[in-house]
Amino acid sequence: MFPRTSPKSVEDFELGMEDIRLDLCYDDHQLPSPEEVKTYGLKPRRTLAQRRGFRWACVGSLLFLTIILLLTVAIRSLVPSRDERSDDANGSIQQSGEAIFVDSRLHDTITFLLDEVNHRDLTNTSSPQFLAAQWMADVDSLRTPLVQESGFMERYALVVLWFATWGEEWLHSVDFLTGAHQCEWHSTFQRSDTSVFEMGVQCNERAEVKSLILQTMNLKGRIPLEISMLTSLERLSLDHNNLTDFEAVSPLTHLTQLTLGYNQFAADIPMWLGNFTLLEVLGLSNNGFTSTIPSQLKELASLTTLALDDNDLTGNLSLLEYMPLLEKVYLEDNAFTGTITNDFLHDLENLQVLDLSSNKLDGQVGLTLLNRPQLEVLDLHNNNLDGTLPEDMPYTATSLRFLALHDNFFEGSLPSTMTHLSALQHLDISNNRLTGALPDNWDQLSSLEYLFLSANRLFEPGPLPTSLKRLTHLRELSVKETARTGTIPSWIANLDQLILLDLDNNRFTSTLPSQLGRLTNLQFLLVNSNELTGKIPVELSSGLESSRLSLVMLDQNQFTGDADRLCSMDLPVLVADCDEVRCDCCTTCCYDDDQSCGDRGWLANYDPIWENQYTRDVYTFSAESSKHDIIFIPVN
């Protein structure tokens, strides 16, 4: 903190003034004593004019000193002393009002800034602009020279940002407001995948700020106008904060990356973004934006990534045709309308990710959309798409690893040429109106990790396709409500990477195979609502690791005996028919007279998001008849 000094108190000052007044106004008009006459001799008496002149001089002096005293008191009441300032490093002032400057460094700083900063903000002692100026004048040990070439304005802009967004409540300091050069205001963080990244300020070779990343930092309020002083800024990323306004960003038209997702802007997307013609990445996810995408954004011809997901946007998507370089498009969870035709987004030849899920789009999935050599992710789930899937899936879609078409109205059979999509790792076509027999050539999708065929009730009855046993990378398999019959095959043990096995609501018969105990990675087992009989195999509890298995659904079957061995595993969720199976530890018991128990229809919901690279980070089991979801974090 700047060293404190204590000027004389007002009382000391007034006592000193009284001494001066007595000295100046002493009047020797009394007659001298005899002793004084003897010692000094008799002085000639002053004339009347002399005495009057002296008195007027005395009165003038008193009046002058009184004015000085009043001015001193007035100045002390307007300008806070350093004792009235906070001891925090931000140098904040407790008193508001218009400042009167006595600190020469602060005065020079304010004067230097007047051409660039609003005068009212600079002289308001509680404003971020004044507090930043005061910090740089009184606290900052770097003492940056007051010249444009010194980087003073960029440092000042960053300090204003700190004060304007409640920097004292940031979750991480990232070395802001230290004596280091502003190019050193950053820290290293580690992601969940152990990779590292820098948060804070990054500079170019000329020591100019080129990147500012402050994500998940608890920034609050409005972005200040002074951010426009960062004239060399190329990337601005302030995602996952509590910002409410970003109008101040509008002059930064030289940006190439602007991401402000997961804030609280809740307005229309501003038209001025159309001036950012150099933008390559624009991210405004999850902000409550309304209305349509402004037509001015068609000027963003250099855009490669567009993320407007999780807002309340409407209108059609014709604007995308003006952005030919787009590679990644995230527009899910809005209310966009329009029809997907065979030539939909035909000119976007570089498209790698297209996520239009959870909108109000209709139409069909044509070959043109699938036939893109670079397309890796296509997510169209939860729309109003219908018709049949293309009978001749293209061999050229060699990069497509993620295809989500669930929760639509597709009809017809599942084409056997689906296996042409040889790179698929994730396939979800659940909850449609598909018919016909399930194909039995799944082994050609050898990279498949996630296969959801559930809730297609019109499939022809039949057993589990034998070709599934060769999908040894499979981690999740759901054939819930697909009219599967026969026994649960023993080869299920080949799928030793399974985390979730959902066979719910089919017509499986006979007993549970003991080979299930060999699925040591299994965490979620749903075999409820079938026609299974016999005792619960001992191997189910002795083979599976108690630290992994979290949910077992056995209800609405014809099991007998007890579930004691499962009880020893202390499962978070265990459901059984307690009329037929003794289960002292069941979290839910179903009884013959409880018809609602079998109507729960538990489903392992999966709504993948791009922020998690379309990988599952949580398992949520929900049911229409239940008010609460069951949520699990997967065990690695």
Side-chain angles (χ1 to χ4, degrees), residues 48 77-78 89 92 146 157 246 295 359 426 433 456 477 491 547:
L48 179 61
S77 68
L78 289 174
S92 64
L146 299 177
F246 70 110
S295 60
N359 279 287
H426 177 113
R433 298 173 176 175
N456 282 287
L477 173 63
W491 54 254
S547 61

Side-chain angles (χ1 to χ4, degrees), residues 293-353:
I293 302 176
S295 60
Q296 288 79 3
L297 265 62
K298 68 172 62 173
E299 303 299 327
L300 305 185
S302 299
L303 214 57
T304 61
T305 299
L306 176 63
L308 302 178
D309 54 286
D310 295 275
N311 286 291
D312 296 309
L313 298 170
T314 57
N316 60 50
L317 303 177
S318 59
L319 217 63
L320 300 181
E321 300 287 355
Y322 295 89
M323 305 171 183
L325 302 182
L326 277 175
E327 298 175 359
K328 299 177 180 179
V329 178
Y330 307 105
L331 300 179
E332 70 271 18
D333 292 294
N334 281 287
F336 291 119
T337 55
T339 301
I340 295 180
T341 60
N342 193 45
D343 59 351
F344 181 66
L345 303 183
H346 178 268
D347 294 329
L348 304 189
E349 298 178 353
N350 300 317
L351 203 58
Q352 299 174 14
V353 177

Side-chain angles (χ1 to χ4, degrees), residues 567-579:
C567 287
S568 66
M569 300 174 70
D570 194 23
L571 299 176
V573 177
L574 174 59
V575 182
D577 299 316
C578 295
D579 279 334

Side-chain angles (χ1 to χ4, degrees), residues 438-443 448 451 453 463-472 474 477 479 491-492 494-495:
L438 275 181
D440 198 6
N441 57 348
W442 296 103
D443 52 327
L448 208 57
L451 178 60
L453 306 174
L464 277 178
T466 307
S467 56
L468 290 173
K469 69 181 181 181
R470 297 186 179 88
L471 299 182
T472 54
L474 207 59
L477 173 63
V479 294
W491 54 254
I492 203 77
N494 293 353
L495 310 181

